[in-house]
Amino acid sequence: ILSDVRIKALGYNGSTPGPVIVMRQGEWISLTVENRLKDDTALHVHGLSKPNPQDGVPEIEPNNVRIKPGTSHTYEFYCWQSGTFFYHSSMGFQVSQGLIGAFIVLPMEERLSYDMVPDRDFVLLLHQWEIPQPQLGKVAPGTFEPNMFDRNPNFFTINGKAFPDTSPLLVRYGEHIKLRFINKSSQAHSMHTHGHDFTVTHIDGFPR
C-alpha cells in the first residue's frame, strides 16, 4: 500500500482490489471462482439483481453454495441493470481483508446526459485497514497483517494505494469526467474533488 509498507491481504487474481470487470447492459456473464484459501468462500455481486441461486450469499440461497478450499464454482447471470456495482466475498471478514473488486455495467443506450460515454471514466475503490504499528503515530517499514475488524483504521487506500502513493487522475480541460466511488468498509467516507465541482448522478447503481 506504500513503497515501504506491505500488508498480508487476500485478493482476486493476485491483487486487492481485484480486476475491474466491465460488462454491457443486456449481456450474460459467467464468473468462475477458484478458492485457494484455507476457508470456504463465496462471491456476491453487490447491487445487481439476479436469481437467488446465483447471488453468492449461502445463508439465503436455496442451494447454499459454499466454495470449499481447493474447489471452484461458476456463477452465471444476466446483466440487465447498468451502473456501478462491485463484487466481494460474502463469507466472514474476507472482504475487510481484501476480497473485493469493481463490477461495471455500461448502459445499452445513451438516453440521458449522465449516461453519455465520458472522455475519462475512473473507478475509485476505497478501503480502510487497521494495521498494528510498533511505534504509535509513526509509520514503520515492513510487512503487516491487518486486523480483520478494521474498526480503528490507521491506513486508507484508493485502489490499493495509500497517499502519497495513490495514482493521480490526469484529465484535460473541457473533458467530460465520470468518477465511480465504491466503499465497502465499515465507515462512511465523504469524497471531495478540490478545486472542481461534480454532480452526483447515481447512488448504488440507480439514478438519483
Side-chain angles (χ1 to χ4, degrees):
I1 60 174
L2 288 169
S3 59
D4 57 354
V5 177
R6 303 174 67 87
I7 59 175
K8 295 180 180 179
L10 305 180
Y12 291 109
N13 290 12
S15 69
T16 181
V20 178
I21 298 175
V22 181
M23 301 293 295
R24 175 71 69 174
Q25 185 180 13
E27 292 181 330
W28 282 84
I29 187 170
S30 177
L31 282 171
T32 298
V33 181
E34 180 183 347
N35 185 5
R36 298 184 182 179
L37 306 176
K38 297 179 181 179
D39 303 306
D40 295 356
T41 191
L43 185 110
H44 172 66
V45 176
H46 197 95
L48 184 65
S49 297
K50 66 193 78 68
N52 191 252
Q54 303 299 319
D55 202 37
V57 183
E59 288 77 10
I60 62 173
E61 287 180 347
N63 48 353
N64 192 27
V65 174
R66 299 170 184 265
I67 309 173
K68 301 293 182 181
T71 67
S72 64
H73 180 76
T74 299
Y75 300 91
E76 293 184 353
F77 50 86
Y78 183 65
C79 299
W80 68 277
Q81 296 168 269
S82 64
T84 304
F85 310 104
F86 57 95
Y87 60 92
H88 65 85
S89 168
S90 59
M91 304 292 289
F93 296 96
Q94 292 175 357
V95 63
S96 66
Q97 296 294 285
L99 284 186
I100 188 172
F103 191 99
I104 309 301
V105 182
L106 302 176
M108 186 182 302
E109 298 179 3
E110 299 170 25
R111 301 175 183 175
L112 303 172
S113 59
Y114 52 66
D115 282 332
M116 292 174 55
V117 176
D119 296 298
R120 302 189 191 276
D121 194 334
F122 296 104
V123 177
L124 303 173
L125 198 149
L126 314 178
H127 221 129
Q128 63 186 44
W129 309 90
E130 183 178 345
I131 302 175
Q133 287 284 300
Q135 295 179 339
L136 186 63
K138 296 183 179 180
V139 178
T143 301
F144 305 95
E145 187 166 350
N147 187 318
M148 68 174 62
F149 296 106
D150 78 356
R151 292 174 179 171
N152 298 294
N154 54 353
F155 286 85
F156 301 88
T157 57
I158 299 177
N159 294 346
K161 295 293 183 180
F163 184 82
D165 287 6
T166 46
S167 298
L169 307 181
L170 302 178
V171 303
R172 291 184 180 276
Y173 178 76
E175 289 184 326
H176 176 203
I177 308 301
K178 179 175 288 188
L179 301 176
R180 303 175 187 264
F181 295 105
I182 299 173
N183 177 28
K184 187 61 173 68
S185 63
S186 57
Q187 294 181 358
H189 296 281
S190 299
M191 302 304 295
H192 168 63
T193 53
H194 197 81
H196 295 272
D197 296 324
F198 62 72
T199 300
V200 178
T201 63
H202 294 69
I203 296 177
D204 289 339
F206 291 94
R208 185 171 182 182

